[in-house]
Coordinates of all heavy atoms in Angstrom, one line a residue:
M55 N -29.4 -7.5 19.7 CA -28.7 -6.3 19.4 C -28.3 -6.3 17.9 O -27.8 -7.3 17.4 CB -27.4 -6.3 20.2 CG -26.4 -5.3 19.8 SD -24.9 -5.3 20.8 CE -25.5 -4.3 22.2
N56 N -28.6 -5.2 17.2 CA -28.2 -5.1 15.8 C -26.7 -4.9 15.7 O -26.1 -4.3 16.5 CB -29.0 -4.0 15.1 CG -30.5 -4.2 15.1 OD1 -30.9 -5.4 14.9 ND2 -31.3 -3.2 15.1
L57 N -26.2 -5.3 14.5 CA -24.8 -5.1 14.3 C -24.5 -3.6 14.1 O -25.3 -2.9 13.5 CB -24.3 -5.8 13.0 CG -24.1 -7.2 13.1 CD1 -23.7 -7.8 11.7 CD2 -23.0 -7.6 14.1
P58 N -23.5 -3.1 14.7 CA -23.1 -1.7 14.4 C -22.8 -1.5 13.0 O -22.4 -2.4 12.3 CB -21.8 -1.5 15.2 CG -21.7 -2.6 16.1 CD -22.5 -3.7 15.6
K59 N -23.1 -0.3 12.4 CA -22.8 -0.1 11.0 C -21.5 0.4 10.7 O -21.0 0.3 9.6 CB -23.9 0.9 10.5 CG -25.3 0.3 10.4 CD -26.2 1.3 9.8 CE -27.5 0.8 9.5 NZ -28.4 0.2 10.4
E60 N -20.8 0.9 11.7 CA -19.4 1.5 11.5 C -18.5 1.3 12.7 O -18.9 1.6 13.8 CB -19.6 3.0 11.1 CG -18.3 3.6 10.7 CD -18.4 5.1 10.3 OE1 -19.5 5.6 10.5 OE2 -17.4 5.6 9.8
I61 N -17.3 1.0 12.4 CA -16.2 0.9 13.4 C -15.2 2.0 12.9 O -14.8 1.9 11.8 CB -15.5 -0.4 13.4 CG1 -16.5 -1.5 13.7 CG2 -14.4 -0.4 14.4 CD1 -17.2 -1.5 15.1
Q62 N -14.8 2.9 13.8 CA -13.8 3.9 13.5 C -12.6 3.6 14.3 O -12.6 3.4 15.5 CB -14.3 5.3 13.7 CG -15.5 5.7 12.9 CD -16.0 7.1 13.2 OE1 -15.6 7.7 14.2 NE2 -16.9 7.6 12.3
I63 N -11.4 3.7 13.6 CA -10.1 3.5 14.3 C -9.3 4.8 14.0 O -9.1 5.1 12.8 CB -9.4 2.3 13.7 CG1 -10.2 1.0 14.0 CG2 -8.0 2.1 14.4 CD1 -10.9 0.5 12.8
C64 N -8.9 5.4 15.1 CA -8.1 6.6 14.9 C -6.8 6.3 14.2 O -6.1 5.3 14.5 CB -7.7 7.2 16.3 SG -6.7 8.7 16.2
Q65 N -6.4 7.1 13.2 CA -5.2 7.0 12.4 C -4.3 8.2 12.6 O -3.4 8.4 11.8 CB -5.5 6.7 11.0 CG -6.3 5.5 10.7 CD -5.5 4.2 11.1 OE1 -4.4 4.0 10.5 NE2 -6.0 3.5 12.1
H66 N -4.6 9.1 13.6 CA -3.8 10.3 13.8 C -2.5 9.9 14.4 O -2.2 8.8 14.8 CB -4.6 11.3 14.6 CG -4.1 12.7 14.5 ND1 -4.1 13.4 13.3 CD2 -3.6 13.5 15.4 CE1 -3.7 14.6 13.5 NE2 -3.3 14.7 14.8
R67 N -1.6 10.9 14.6 CA -0.2 10.8 15.0 C 0.1 9.8 16.1 O 0.8 8.8 15.9 CB 0.4 12.1 15.4 CG 0.7 13.0 14.2 CD 1.4 14.2 14.7 NE 0.2 15.1 15.0 CZ 0.3 16.4 15.2 NH1 1.5 17.0 15.1 NH2 -0.7 17.1 15.5
T68 N -0.5 10.0 17.3 CA -0.1 9.2 18.4 C -0.7 7.8 18.2 O 0.0 6.8 18.5 CB -0.6 9.8 19.7 OG1 -0.1 11.1 19.9 CG2 -0.2 9.0 20.9
C69 N -1.9 7.6 17.8 CA -2.5 6.3 17.6 C -1.7 5.6 16.5 O -1.5 4.4 16.6 CB -4.0 6.4 17.3 SG -5.1 6.8 18.7
F70 N -1.4 6.3 15.5 CA -0.7 5.7 14.4 C 0.7 5.2 14.8 O 1.1 4.1 14.5 CB -0.5 6.7 13.2 CG 0.0 6.1 12.0 CD1 -0.8 5.4 11.1 CD2 1.4 6.2 11.6 CE1 -0.3 4.8 9.9 CE2 1.9 5.6 10.5 CZ 1.0 4.9 9.6
K71 N 1.4 6.0 15.6 CA 2.7 5.6 16.2 C 2.5 4.4 17.1 O 3.4 3.5 17.1 CB 3.3 6.8 17.0 CG 4.6 6.5 17.7 CD 5.1 7.7 18.5 CE 4.3 7.9 19.7 NZ 4.5 7.2 20.9
D72 N 1.4 4.3 17.7 CA 1.1 3.1 18.6 C 0.6 1.9 17.9 O 0.2 0.9 18.6 CB 0.2 3.6 19.8 CG 0.9 4.5 20.8 OD1 2.1 4.5 20.8 OD2 0.2 5.3 21.4
G73 N 0.5 1.9 16.6 CA 0.1 0.8 15.8 C -1.3 0.7 15.3 O -1.8 -0.4 14.9
S74 N -2.0 1.8 15.2 CA -3.4 1.8 14.7 C -3.5 1.3 13.3 O -4.5 0.8 12.9 CB -4.0 3.2 14.9 OG -3.4 4.1 14.0
S75 N -2.5 1.5 12.5 CA -2.5 1.0 11.1 C -2.7 -0.6 11.0 O -3.4 -1.1 10.2 CB -1.4 1.4 10.2 OG -0.2 0.9 10.7
K76 N -2.0 -1.2 12.0 CA -2.1 -2.7 12.1 C -3.5 -3.1 12.6 O -4.0 -4.1 12.2 CB -1.0 -3.3 12.9 CG 0.4 -3.1 12.3 CD 1.5 -3.7 13.2 CE 2.8 -3.5 12.5 NZ 3.9 -3.8 13.4
V77 N -4.0 -2.3 13.5 CA -5.4 -2.6 14.0 C -6.4 -2.5 13.0 O -7.3 -3.4 12.8 CB -5.7 -1.6 15.2 CG1 -7.1 -1.8 15.7 CG2 -4.7 -1.9 16.4
I78 N -6.4 -1.4 12.1 CA -7.4 -1.3 11.1 C -7.2 -2.4 10.0 O -8.2 -2.9 9.5 CB -7.3 0.2 10.4 CG1 -8.6 0.4 9.7 CG2 -6.1 0.3 9.5 CD1 -8.8 1.9 9.2
Q79 N -6.0 -2.8 9.7 CA -5.8 -3.9 8.8 C -6.4 -5.2 9.4 O -7.0 -5.9 8.6 CB -4.3 -4.1 8.6 CG -3.6 -3.0 7.7 CD -2.1 -3.2 7.7 OE1 -1.5 -4.0 8.3 NE2 -1.5 -2.3 6.9
K80 N -6.3 -5.4 10.6 CA -6.8 -6.6 11.3 C -8.3 -6.6 11.2 O -9.0 -7.6 10.9 CB -6.3 -6.8 12.7 CG -6.8 -8.0 13.4 CD -6.2 -9.3 12.8 CE -6.6 -10.5 13.7 NZ -6.6 -11.7 12.9
F81 N -8.9 -5.4 11.5 CA -10.4 -5.3 11.4 C -10.9 -5.6 10.0 O -11.9 -6.3 9.8 CB -10.9 -3.9 11.8 CG -11.3 -3.9 13.3 CD1 -10.5 -3.2 14.2 CD2 -12.5 -4.5 13.8 CE1 -10.8 -3.1 15.5 CE2 -12.8 -4.4 15.1 CZ -12.0 -3.7 16.0
K82 N -10.1 -5.1 9.0 CA -10.5 -5.3 7.6 C -10.3 -6.8 7.2 O -11.1 -7.3 6.4 CB -9.8 -4.4 6.7 CG -10.2 -2.9 6.8 CD -9.5 -2.0 5.9 CE -10.1 -0.6 6.0 NZ -9.5 0.4 5.1
S83 N -9.3 -7.4 7.7 CA -9.1 -8.8 7.3 C -10.1 -9.8 8.1 O -10.4 -10.9 7.6 CB -7.7 -9.3 7.6 OG -7.4 -9.3 9.0
D84 N -10.6 -9.3 9.2 CA -11.6 -10.1 10.0 C -13.0 -9.5 9.8 O -13.8 -9.4 10.7 CB -11.3 -10.0 11.5 CG -10.1 -10.8 11.9 OD1 -9.4 -11.4 11.0 OD2 -9.8 -10.9 13.1
A85 N -13.3 -9.1 8.5 CA -14.5 -8.4 8.2 C -15.8 -9.1 8.7 O -15.9 -10.3 8.7 CB -14.6 -8.2 6.7
V86 N -16.7 -8.2 9.1 CA -18.0 -8.7 9.5 C -19.1 -8.1 8.6 O -19.1 -6.9 8.3 CB -18.4 -8.2 11.0 CG1 -19.8 -8.6 11.4 CG2 -17.3 -8.8 11.9
A87 N -19.9 -8.9 8.0 CA -20.9 -8.4 7.0 C -21.8 -7.3 7.7 O -22.2 -7.5 8.8 CB -21.8 -9.6 6.6
G88 N -22.0 -6.2 7.0 CA -22.8 -5.1 7.4 C -22.1 -4.1 8.3 O -22.6 -3.1 8.7
V89 N -20.8 -4.3 8.6 CA -20.0 -3.4 9.4 C -18.9 -2.8 8.5 O -18.1 -3.5 7.9 CB -19.3 -4.1 10.6 CG1 -18.5 -3.2 11.4 CG2 -20.4 -4.8 11.5
V90 N -18.9 -1.4 8.5 CA -17.9 -0.7 7.7 C -16.8 -0.3 8.7 O -17.1 0.2 9.8 CB -18.6 0.6 7.1 CG1 -17.5 1.4 6.4 CG2 -19.7 0.2 6.1
V91 N -15.6 -0.5 8.2 CA -14.4 -0.1 9.0 C -13.7 1.1 8.4 O -13.4 1.0 7.2 CB -13.4 -1.3 9.1 CG1 -12.1 -0.9 9.9 CG2 -14.1 -2.5 9.7
T92 N -13.6 2.1 9.2 CA -13.0 3.3 8.6 C -11.9 3.9 9.6 O -12.0 3.7 10.8 CB -14.0 4.5 8.4 OG1 -14.6 4.8 9.6 CG2 -15.0 4.1 7.4
G93 N -10.9 4.5 9.0 CA -9.9 5.2 9.7 C -10.4 6.7 9.9 O -11.1 7.2 9.1
T94 N -10.0 7.3 11.0 CA -10.4 8.7 11.3 C -9.2 9.5 11.7 O -8.1 9.0 11.9 CB -11.4 8.7 12.5 OG1 -10.8 8.4 13.7 CG2 -12.6 7.9 12.2
G95 N -9.4 10.8 11.8 CA -8.5 11.7 12.4 C -8.5 11.6 13.9 O -9.2 10.7 14.4
C96 N -7.9 12.5 14.5 CA -7.9 12.5 16.0 C -9.2 12.5 16.6 O -10.1 13.3 16.2 CB -7.1 13.8 16.4 SG -6.8 13.8 18.2
M97 N -9.4 11.7 17.6 CA -10.6 11.6 18.4 C -10.5 12.4 19.7 O -11.4 12.3 20.5 CB -11.0 10.2 18.7 CG -11.4 9.4 17.4 SD -12.0 7.7 17.9 CE -12.1 6.9 16.3
G98 N -9.4 13.0 19.9 CA -9.2 13.8 21.1 C -8.8 13.0 22.4 O -9.0 13.5 23.5
L99 N -8.4 11.8 22.2 CA -8.1 10.9 23.3 C -6.6 10.5 23.2 O -6.3 9.3 23.5 CB -9.0 9.7 23.2 CG -10.5 10.0 23.4 CD1 -11.3 8.8 23.0 CD2 -10.8 10.4 24.8
C100 N -5.7 11.4 22.8 CA -4.3 11.1 22.7 C -3.7 10.5 23.9 O -4.1 10.9 25.0 CB -3.6 12.4 22.3 SG -4.2 13.1 20.7
G101 N -2.9 9.5 23.7 CA -2.2 8.8 24.8 C -3.0 7.6 25.3 O -2.6 6.9 26.2
S102 N -4.2 7.4 24.7 CA -5.1 6.3 25.1 C -5.2 5.3 23.9 O -6.0 4.4 24.0 CB -6.5 6.8 25.4 OG -6.5 7.6 26.5
G103 N -4.5 5.5 22.9 CA -4.7 4.8 21.7 C -3.8 3.5 21.5 O -3.0 3.2 22.4
P104 N -4.1 2.9 20.4 CA -5.1 3.1 19.4 C -6.5 3.0 19.9 O -6.9 2.1 20.7 CB -4.8 2.0 18.4 CG -3.4 1.6 18.6 CD -3.2 1.8 20.0
I105 N -7.3 4.0 19.5 CA -8.8 4.1 19.9 C -9.6 3.4 18.8 O -9.4 3.7 17.6 CB -9.2 5.5 20.1 CG1 -8.4 6.2 21.2 CG2 -10.7 5.6 20.3 CD1 -8.8 5.7 22.6
V106 N -10.6 2.6 19.2 CA -11.6 2.0 18.3 C -12.9 2.4 18.9 O -13.2 2.3 20.0 CB -11.5 0.5 18.3 CG1 -12.6 -0.2 17.6 CG2 -10.1 0.0 17.8
L107 N -13.8 3.0 18.0 CA -15.1 3.5 18.3 C -16.1 2.6 17.6 O -16.1 2.6 16.4 CB -15.3 4.9 18.0 CG -16.7 5.5 18.1 CD1 -17.3 5.4 19.5 CD2 -16.7 7.0 17.6
V108 N -17.0 2.0 18.3 CA -18.2 1.4 17.7 C -19.3 2.5 17.7 O -19.9 2.8 18.7 CB -18.7 0.2 18.6 CG1 -19.9 -0.5 17.9 CG2 -17.5 -0.8 18.7
V109 N -19.5 3.1 16.5 CA -20.2 4.3 16.3 C -21.6 4.2 16.8 O -22.1 5.1 17.6 CB -20.2 4.8 14.9 CG1 -21.0 6.0 14.7 CG2 -18.7 5.0 14.4
A110 N -22.4 3.2 16.4 CA -23.8 3.2 16.7 C -24.1 3.1 18.2 O -25.1 3.6 18.7 CB -24.5 1.9 16.1
E111 N -23.2 2.5 19.0 CA -23.4 2.4 20.4 C -22.5 3.3 21.2 O -22.6 3.3 22.5 CB -23.1 0.9 20.8 CG -24.0 0.0 20.1 CD -23.4 -1.5 20.2 OE1 -22.4 -1.7 20.8 OE2 -24.1 -2.3 19.6
Q112 N -21.7 4.1 20.6 CA -20.8 5.0 21.2 C -19.9 4.3 22.3 O -19.7 4.7 23.4 CB -21.5 6.2 21.9 CG -22.1 7.2 20.8 CD -21.0 7.8 20.0 OE1 -20.2 8.6 20.5 NE2 -20.9 7.5 18.8
V113 N -19.4 3.1 21.9 CA -18.5 2.3 22.7 C -17.1 2.6 22.3 O -16.7 2.4 21.1 CB -18.8 0.8 22.6 CG1 -17.8 0.0 23.3 CG2 -20.2 0.6 23.2
Y114 N -16.2 3.1 23.2 CA -14.8 3.4 23.0 C -14.0 2.3 23.6 O -14.0 2.1 24.8 CB -14.5 4.7 23.5 CG -15.0 5.9 22.8 CD1 -16.3 6.4 23.1 CD2 -14.2 6.6 21.9 CE1 -16.8 7.5 22.4 CE2 -14.7 7.7 21.2 CZ -16.0 8.1 21.5 OH -16.5 9.2 20.8
Y115 N -13.1 1.7 22.7 CA -12.1 0.8 23.2 C -10.8 1.5 23.1 O -10.5 2.2 22.2 CB -12.1 -0.5 22.4 CG -13.3 -1.4 22.5 CD1 -14.2 -1.5 21.5 CD2 -13.6 -2.0 23.7 CE1 -15.3 -2.3 21.6 CE2 -14.7 -2.8 23.9 CZ -15.6 -3.0 22.8 OH -16.7 -3.8 22.9
W116 N -9.9 1.2 24.1 CA -8.6 1.9 24.1 C -7.4 0.9 24.1 O -7.6 -0.2 24.5 CB -8.5 2.9 25.2 CG -8.4 2.3 26.6 CD1 -8.7 1.1 27.1 CD2 -7.9 3.0 27.8 NE1 -8.5 1.0 28.4 CE2 -8.0 2.1 28.9 CE3 -7.4 4.3 28.0 CZ2 -7.6 2.5 30.1 CZ3 -7.0 4.7 29.2 CH2 -7.1 3.8 30.3
R117 N -6.3 1.5 23.7 CA -5.0 0.7 23.7 C -5.2 -0.6 23.0 O -4.7 -1.7 23.5 CB -4.5 0.6 25.1 CG -4.2 1.9 25.8 CD -3.6 1.8 27.1 NE -3.3 3.2 27.6 CZ -3.4 3.6 28.8 NH1 -3.8 2.8 29.8 NH2 -3.2 4.9 29.1
I118 N -5.9 -0.6 21.9 CA -6.2 -1.8 21.1 C -4.9 -2.3 20.3 O -4.3 -1.5 19.6 CB -7.4 -1.6 20.2 CG1 -8.6 -1.2 21.1 CG2 -7.6 -2.9 19.4 CD1 -8.9 -2.2 22.2
K119 N -4.6 -3.5 20.5 CA -3.6 -4.2 19.7 C -4.2 -5.1 18.7 O -5.4 -5.5 18.8 CB -2.7 -5.0 20.6 CG -2.1 -4.2 21.8 CD -1.1 -3.3 21.3 CE -0.4 -2.5 22.5 NZ -0.2 -1.1 22.2
P120 N -3.5 -5.4 17.6 CA -4.1 -6.3 16.6 C -4.7 -7.6 17.2 O -5.7 -8.1 16.8 CB -2.9 -6.6 15.7 CG -2.1 -5.4 15.8 CD -2.2 -5.0 17.2
Q121 N -4.0 -8.2 18.2 CA -4.5 -9.4 18.8 C -5.9 -9.2 19.6 O -6.6 -10.2 19.8 CB -3.5 -10.1 19.7 CG -3.0 -9.2 20.9 CD -1.8 -8.4 20.5 OE1 -1.5 -8.1 19.4 NE2 -1.0 -8.1 21.6
D122 N -6.2 -7.9 19.9 CA -7.5 -7.7 20.6 C -8.7 -7.7 19.6 O -9.8 -7.8 20.0 CB -7.5 -6.3 21.2 CG -6.4 -6.2 22.3 OD1 -6.2 -7.2 23.0 OD2 -5.8 -5.1 22.5
V123 N -8.4 -7.5 18.3 CA -9.5 -7.3 17.3 C -10.3 -8.6 17.2 O -11.6 -8.5 17.2 CB -8.8 -7.0 15.9 CG1 -9.9 -7.0 14.8 CG2 -8.2 -5.6 16.0
S124 N -9.7 -9.7 17.3 CA -10.5 -11.0 17.2 C -11.5 -11.1 18.3 O -12.7 -11.5 18.2 CB -9.6 -12.2 17.2 OG -8.8 -12.2 16.1
T125 N -11.2 -10.6 19.5 CA -12.1 -10.6 20.7 C -13.2 -9.6 20.5 O -14.4 -10.0 20.7 CB -11.3 -10.3 22.0 OG1 -10.2 -11.2 22.1 CG2 -12.2 -10.3 23.2
I126 N -12.9 -8.4 20.0 CA -14.0 -7.5 19.7 C -14.9 -8.0 18.7 O -16.1 -7.9 18.8 CB -13.3 -6.1 19.3 CG1 -12.6 -5.5 20.5 CG2 -14.4 -5.1 18.8 CD1 -11.7 -4.3 20.1
V127 N -14.4 -8.6 17.6 CA -15.2 -9.1 16.5 C -16.1 -10.2 17.0 O -17.3 -10.2 16.8 CB -14.4 -9.6 15.3 CG1 -15.2 -10.4 14.4 CG2 -13.7 -8.4 14.6
K128 N -15.5 -11.2 17.7 CA -16.3 -12.3 18.2 C -17.3 -11.9 19.3 O -18.5 -12.3 19.2 CB -15.4 -13.4 18.8 CG -16.0 -14.6 19.2 CD -15.0 -15.7 19.8 CE -15.8 -16.9 20.3 NZ -14.8 -17.8 20.9
Q129 N -16.9 -11.2 20.3 CA -17.8 -10.9 21.4 C -18.7 -9.8 21.2 O -19.9 -9.9 21.5 CB -17.0 -10.7 22.7 CG -16.3 -11.9 23.2 CD -15.5 -11.6 24.5 OE1 -15.7 -10.6 25.2 NE2 -14.6 -12.5 24.9
H130 N -18.2 -8.7 20.6 CA -19.1 -7.5 20.5 C -19.8 -7.5 19.1 O -21.1 -7.4 19.1 CB -18.2 -6.2 20.6 CG -19.1 -5.0 20.7 ND1 -18.6 -3.9 21.3 CD2 -20.3 -4.7 20.2 CE1 -19.5 -2.9 21.2 NE2 -20.6 -3.4 20.6
L131 N -19.1 -7.5 18.0 CA -19.7 -7.4 16.7 C -20.6 -8.6 16.4 O -21.7 -8.4 15.8 CB -18.7 -7.2 15.6 CG -17.8 -6.0 15.8 CD1 -16.8 -5.8 14.7 CD2 -18.6 -4.7 16.0
K132 N -20.2 -9.8 16.7 CA -21.0 -11.0 16.4 C -21.8 -11.4 17.5 O -22.9 -11.9 17.3 CB -20.1 -12.1 15.9 CG -19.4 -11.8 14.6 CD -18.5 -13.0 14.1 CE -18.0 -12.8 12.8 NZ -17.1 -13.9 12.4
G133 N -21.3 -11.3 18.8 CA -22.0 -11.8 19.9 C -22.9 -10.8 20.7 O -23.7 -11.1 21.5
G134 N -22.7 -9.5 20.4 CA -23.5 -8.5 21.0 C -23.2 -8.1 22.4 O -23.9 -7.4 23.1
K135 N -22.0 -8.5 22.9 CA -21.6 -8.2 24.2 C -20.3 -7.4 24.2 O -19.3 -7.7 23.6 CB -21.3 -9.5 25.0 CG -22.6 -10.3 25.2 CD -22.4 -11.5 26.0 CE -23.7 -12.3 26.2 NZ -23.5 -13.5 27.0
V136 N -20.4 -6.2 24.9 CA -19.3 -5.3 25.0 C -18.1 -6.1 25.7 O -18.3 -6.8 26.7 CB -19.7 -4.1 25.7 CG1 -18.5 -3.2 26.1 CG2 -20.7 -3.3 24.9
V137 N -16.9 -5.8 25.2 CA -15.7 -6.4 25.8 C -15.2 -5.4 26.9 O -14.5 -4.5 26.7 CB -14.6 -6.6 24.8 CG1 -13.4 -7.3 25.4 CG2 -15.1 -7.4 23.6
K138 N -15.7 -5.7 28.1 CA -15.5 -4.7 29.2 C -14.0 -4.5 29.6 O -13.6 -3.4 29.9 CB -16.2 -5.2 30.5 CG -17.7 -5.1 30.3 CD -18.5 -5.6 31.6 CE -20.0 -5.5 31.4 NZ -20.7 -5.8 32.6
S139 N -13.2 -5.5 29.4 CA -11.8 -5.4 29.7 C -11.0 -4.4 28.8 O -10.0 -4.0 29.1 CB -11.1 -6.8 29.7 OG -11.2 -7.3 28.4
L140 N -11.6 -4.1 27.6 CA -11.0 -3.2 26.7 C -11.6 -1.9 26.6 O -11.1 -1.0 25.8 CB -11.0 -3.9 25.3 CG -10.3 -5.2 25.1 CD1 -10.5 -5.8 23.7 CD2 -8.8 -5.1 25.4
L141 N -12.6 -1.6 27.4 CA -13.3 -0.3 27.4 C -12.4 0.8 27.9 O -11.6 0.6 28.8 CB -14.6 -0.4 28.3 CG -15.8 -1.1 27.8 CD1 -16.8 -1.2 28.9 CD2 -16.3 -0.5 26.6
H142 N -12.6 2.0 27.3 CA -11.8 3.1 27.7 C -12.3 3.5 29.1 O -13.4 3.8 29.3 CB -12.1 4.3 26.7 CG -11.1 5.4 26.9 ND1 -11.1 6.2 28.1 CD2 -10.2 5.9 26.1 CE1 -10.1 7.1 27.9 NE2 -9.5 6.9 26.8
K143 N -11.4 3.4 30.1 CA -11.7 3.6 31.5 C -12.3 4.9 31.9 O -13.1 5.0 32.8 CB -10.5 3.3 32.4 CG -9.9 1.9 32.1 CD -10.8 0.8 32.5 CE -10.1 -0.5 32.4 NZ -10.7 -1.6 31.6
R144 N -11.8 6.0 31.2 CA -12.3 7.3 31.6 C -13.7 7.5 31.0 O -14.6 8.2 31.6 CB -11.4 8.4 31.0 CG -10.2 8.7 31.9 CD -9.5 9.9 31.4 NE -9.6 9.9 29.9 CZ -8.7 10.5 29.1 NH1 -7.7 11.1 29.6 NH2 -8.9 10.5 27.8
L145 N -14.0 7.0 29.8 CA -15.2 7.3 29.1 C -16.3 6.3 29.6 O -17.5 6.6 29.5 CB -15.1 7.2 27.6 CG -14.1 8.2 27.0 CD1 -13.9 8.0 25.5 CD2 -14.5 9.6 27.3
H146 N -15.9 5.2 30.0 CA -16.8 4.1 30.5 C -16.4 3.7 31.9 O -16.0 2.6 32.1 CB -16.8 2.9 29.5 CG -17.2 3.3 28.1 ND1 -18.4 3.7 27.7 CD2 -16.4 3.2 27.0 CE1 -18.4 4.0 26.4 NE2 -17.2 3.6 26.0
S147 N -16.6 4.6 32.8 CA -16.1 4.4 34.2 C -17.0 3.5 35.0 O -16.6 2.9 36.0 CB -15.9 5.7 35.0 OG -17.1 6.4 35.0
D148 N -18.3 3.4 34.6 CA -19.3 2.5 35.4 C -19.2 1.1 34.8 O -19.6 0.9 33.7 CB -20.7 3.1 35.2 CG -21.7 2.2 35.9 OD1 -21.4 1.2 36.6 OD2 -22.9 2.6 35.9
P149 N -18.7 0.1 35.6 CA -18.6 -1.2 35.1 C -19.9 -1.9 34.7 O -20.0 -2.9 34.0 CB -17.9 -2.0 36.2 CG -18.2 -1.2 37.4 CD -18.3 0.3 37.0
H150 N -21.0 -1.3 35.2 CA -22.4 -1.9 34.9 C -23.1 -1.2 33.8 O -24.2 -1.5 33.5 CB -23.2 -1.9 36.2 CG -22.5 -2.6 37.3 ND1 -22.4 -4.0 37.3 CD2 -22.0 -2.2 38.5 CE1 -21.8 -4.3 38.4 NE2 -21.5 -3.2 39.1
E151 N -22.4 -0.3 33.1 CA -23.0 0.5 32.1 C -23.6 -0.4 30.9 O -24.6 -0.1 30.3 CB -22.0 1.5 31.5 CG -22.4 2.3 30.3 CD -21.3 3.2 29.8 OE1 -20.2 3.2 30.4 OE2 -21.6 3.9 28.8
F152 N -22.9 -1.5 30.7 CA -23.3 -2.4 29.6 C -23.9 -3.7 30.0 O -23.9 -4.7 29.3 CB -22.1 -2.6 28.7 CG -21.6 -1.3 28.0 CD1 -20.5 -0.7 28.5 CD2 -22.4 -0.7 27.0 CE1 -20.1 0.5 27.9 CE2 -22.0 0.4 26.4 CZ -20.8 1.1 26.9
D153 N -24.3 -3.8 31.3 CA -24.9 -5.1 31.7 C -26.3 -5.3 31.1 O -27.0 -4.5 30.7 CB -25.1 -5.0 33.3 CG -23.7 -5.2 33.9 OD1 -22.8 -5.6 33.3 OD2 -23.6 -4.9 35.1

């Protein structure tokens, strides 16, 4: 699996209130070569945030806390395996989608 080229983290009102600024800071401090980390406006998933989108694969993680970032970096970005326990449940309702 190739590394995703971009990770987007919602920085809009609700996600921001729920700590997305700390999540984006953690992604930037745990930088992965070849992966760009950007903040975005609303992704339309209010109440599920902070939302993290792995753009190339259209993988949405929800309710991400700074302590979750290390797991996403290690397992998904470096290891190529989606972190199923952090997937957005409405958008990724099939548990076998990423087998």
Side-chain angles (χ1 to χ4, degrees):
M55 170 182 273
N56 292 330
L57 284 176
K59 291 185 170 57
E60 184 176 10
I61 303 296
Q62 296 179 348
I63 299 101
C64 179
Q65 297 296 298
H66 199 62
R67 281 182 279 197
T68 305
C69 285
F70 190 80
K71 179 182 70 77
D72 290 337
S74 65
S75 64
K76 291 179 182 174
V77 172
I78 197 168
Q79 288 172 358
K80 182 67 173 155
F81 268 107
K82 288 181 176 183
S83 70
D84 291 2
V86 176
V89 178
V90 177
V91 177
T92 59
T94 67
C96 184
M97 292 186 189
L99 298 165
C100 300
S102 299
I105 296 292
V106 172
L107 169 62
V108 181
V109 177
E111 300 164 3
Q112 291 297 290
V113 172
Y114 287 83
Y115 292 113
W116 73 338
R117 299 183 177 145
I118 300 304
K119 304 289 183 222
Q121 58 268 26
D122 298 323
V123 172
S124 298
T125 302
I126 294 170
V127 167
K128 182 179 178 185
Q129 289 182 16
H130 190 153
L131 301 182
K132 292 182 177 177
K135 295 184 181 180
V136 170
V137 184
K138 292 182 181 182
S139 62
L140 299 175
L141 287 172
H142 194 293
K143 304 293 187 233
R144 280 187 325 206
L145 300 177
H146 302 296
S147 59
D148 180 1
H150 303 292
E151 178 180 1
F152 297 103
D153 287 344

